[in-house]
Amino acid sequence: MEEFVVLVNPEDDVLGLMEKQQAHINGLLHRAFSVFLFNSKGEMLLQKRASGKYHSPNQWTNAVCSHPKDGETYLEGAQRRLREELGIQSELSEKFNFIYKADVGGGLWEHELDHVFVGHYEYESDFNLNKEEVEEVRFISMQDLDQEIAENPGNFTEWFKIILEEYKHHF
């Protein structure tokens, strides 16, 4: 089944729909969301993308990052993908949005108007991972995350590194 993304201008006015992979080939600006989940220790939840993903397979990234469907709010999309990818629910609050463009390899680009949400989640044993999307999950301290990214940047998605830096500028 084809998936479509919502193409927008920098003011978030809808320009139309495009098949997701084609939008990534063309590098066109589209709607996206990113979810950061933290536990009570302040550790961030990371997911390792499944090996079958068409770009950035087996790389670590934030809890969820995806695209709202046509007619769906950013928050509705973020909550939907938490259920679809991780099998969990969390109350989310939007913290900021920004535009970025990242080369994700293979002639593909992420060019997104990204709305960043933050939530809380505690229970490592409660995940029901969609193995077509997610290989595994783990919590990590921000200090250890910074060290891992510095030592092995190729283990992390390009957009996560950009979004994480933007997140740090806001908090």
Side-chain angles (χ1 to χ4, degrees):
M1 183 174 93
E2 284 189 323
E3 287 184 58
F4 290 84
V5 295
V6 180
L7 301 178
V8 293
N9 66 16
E11 289 75 40
D12 202 20
D13 297 318
V14 175
L15 303 177
L17 301 177
M18 182 174 279
E19 192 278 323
K20 181 172 73 169
Q21 190 164 357
Q22 192 61 50
H24 290 153
I25 291 168
N26 295 349
L28 297 177
L29 183 63
H30 57 277
R31 288 181 172 169
F33 53 81
S34 297
V35 177
F36 287 0
L37 292 179
F38 295 92
N39 64 18
S40 58
K41 298 181 210 169
E43 296 170 324
M44 180 186 285
L45 180 71
L46 299 181
Q47 71 151 277
K48 186 175 188 182
R49 289 169 58 84
S51 59
K53 298 294 280 183
Y54 77 94
H55 73 76
S56 310
N58 297 312
Q59 289 184 313
W60 290 98
T61 197
N62 50 294
V64 170
C65 32
S66 190
H67 311 96
K69 294 180 178 183
D70 185 32
E72 182 177 57
T73 68
Y74 288 95
L75 177 59
E76 289 167 345
Q79 290 171 330
R80 173 180 51 82
R81 291 306 286 173
L82 276 177
R83 290 187 307 273
E84 291 174 353
E85 292 186 27
L86 304 177
I88 63 170
Q89 294 183 46
S90 176
E91 189 172 315
L92 302 175
S93 59
E94 184 173 342
K95 296 303 183 184
F96 63 93
N97 64 75
F98 76 113
I99 293 173
Y100 74 92
K101 190 170 187 177
D103 182 348
V104 296
L108 301 173
W109 292 87
E110 286 287 8
H111 188 193
E112 298 184 331
L113 172 58
D114 191 32
H115 286 243
V116 179
F117 294 88
V118 174
H120 178 85
Y121 199 79
E122 280 300 319
Y123 312 103
E124 285 190 61
S125 61
D126 287 354
F127 294 102
N128 183 15
L129 303 181
N130 176 343
K131 290 299 193 174
E132 291 180 12
E133 298 286 339
V134 182
E135 200 75 28
E136 61 182 288
V137 294
R138 65 182 168 125
F139 282 101
I140 187 170
S141 73
M142 294 300 283
Q143 182 178 355
D144 289 347
L145 177 58
D146 288 341
Q147 183 176 342
E148 278 192 37
I149 290 173
E151 292 174 358
N152 296 295
N155 289 348
F156 297 87
T157 63
E158 289 304 313
W159 64 87
F160 174 56
K161 292 180 277 190
I162 293 168
I163 297 164
L164 182 60
E165 286 307 308
E166 190 70 21
Y167 176 84
K168 289 176 185 177
H169 288 302
H170 281 84
F171 298 101

